[in-house]
Amino acid sequence: MTMPDAPVQVPDQEALMRLGETVRQRLAGRPGVYKVPVEPVELFAIGDFLDSAECARLCAMIDDVARPSTLHETNYTSDFRTSYSGDLDPHDPFVDNISKRIDDLLGVPSDIGEAIQGQRYLPGQQFKPHNDWFYTSESYWSEEEARGGQRSWTAMAYLNAVEAGGATAFTTLGIQIDPQPGALLLWNNALPDGRPNEATLHAGTPVERGAKYVITKWYRTRTWR
Ligand SMILES: O=C(O)CCC(=O)C(=O)O
Ligand SMILES: [Fe+2]
C-alpha cells in the first residue's frame, strides 16, 4: 500500500506560523504600535522605542565593536554589505535590558532571539536588497538549522538621524523608511502560513552624508545558540 504524499513543508514552517500568530496578536491594537499598511508583509513601526540617551550609548558601543560585516553568501560581490557591524555584549546589563524590552514587546521567549547586532554605515556604505531568512538550499543552512533554525521576526531600531540617504527600502513593496532616531521597525519574515515571505526583500540604501547607526535583533524558531 502506498501512502499519500505528505503536503510540502518548508523547514520550521509550523513554528514560523505559530510565531507569526503570537506576535500578530500581541501587537494588534497596542498603543504606540503602527501597522504599516503594506501587502503582503506584516510590518510595524514604533516611534520613540529608545530614548536619546540610549541611542547615544548604543552608537558608542557600536563604534567599539564594529568590524567589516560578514555575509553567509560567499558569491555575493564585495560591495553587497559594506557597513561595519558587530554583536553587542549580551551580558552587559544595559544591552540585556534593551534586548528584553524587544522580546517583551513581541511576546516571544528570550531564548529564540539572537544577540543584538549593531551596524554603522558611513557615506557610500549600504546593504543591498536581501532577505533576512536563510536560504535552506545553501550550504550554511545545516549549521544555522542547528543554531536555532529559520529566522522569524526582525526587529531593527534607528539610533540617529542621517544627514542624507540611508533609508531602509522594501524594494518589492516599493516603500522606503527614513531613519528616525529611537524608532523600532518590526517585520515578519514569513507568510502567515509559515513559508518564507519573498516580499520582505529590503535594503539599507547608501548613506550619502553623515553616518547611520542601527541595531538589529533577529528571532529564530527555536533556542538560538
Ligand atoms: O540598515 C538598514 O536599513 C537595513 C539593515 C538590514 O537589513 C539588516 O541588518 O538585516
Ligand atoms: Fe536585513
Side-chain angles (χ1 to χ4, degrees), residues 26-215:
R26 175 91 170 173
L27 297 180
R30 235 182 138 84
V33 177
Y34 171 69
K35 187 170 194 307
V36 183
V38 285
E39 288 283 341
V41 174
E42 294 179 280
L43 173 64
F44 298 87
I46 295 104
D48 300 322
F49 183 77
L50 300 168
D51 67 29
S52 56
E54 290 170 332
C55 288
R57 191 161 168 189
L58 287 165
C59 288
M61 287 180 149
I62 292 170
D63 284 331
D64 282 344
V65 297
R67 305 278 177 275
S69 300
T70 55
L71 282 168
H72 282 296
E73 297 79 1
T74 47
N75 53 351
Y76 280 150
T77 52
S78 57
D79 66 350
F80 196 86
R81 189 188 190 194
T82 51
S83 60
Y84 278 38
S85 59
D87 287 349
L88 301 184
D89 178 6
H91 303 297
D92 179 301
F94 169 72
V95 173
D96 182 56
N97 172 274
I98 287 169
S99 204
K100 295 258 163 54
R101 270 158 52 192
I102 305 173
D103 302 342
D104 181 61
L105 175 71
L106 274 70
V108 300
S110 289
D111 69 344
I112 67 167
E114 297 184 24
I116 292 182
Q117 191 178 99
Q119 195 171 182
R120 181 189 64 210
Y121 302 78
L122 295 177
Q125 295 186 334
Q126 64 179 317
F127 194 170
K128 288 191 176 173
H130 64 279
N131 294 296
D132 289 346
W133 41 268
F134 299 120
Y135 289 85
T136 57
S137 55
E138 292 287 328
S139 55
Y140 63 68
W141 170 243
S142 55
E143 192 180 323
E144 295 301 343
E145 186 173 25
R147 294 188 71 198
Q150 187 55 283
R151 283 186 175 149
S152 51
W153 288 80
T154 298
M156 192 187 95
Y158 301 104
L159 305 178
N160 73 317
V162 184
E163 276 179 64
T168 305
F170 284 83
T171 47
T172 302
L173 300 179
I175 61 163
Q176 291 219 3
I177 295 159
D178 288 322
Q180 184 191 308
L184 182 75
L185 289 186
L186 296 170
W187 67 89
N188 185 359
N189 291 292
L191 289 159
D193 71 3
R195 285 175 299 130
N197 189 344
E198 302 275 351
T200 57
L201 195 73
H202 60 281
T205 63
V207 166
E208 289 157 32
R209 276 198 319 278
K212 173 186 173 189
Y213 288 82
V214 297
I215 52 169

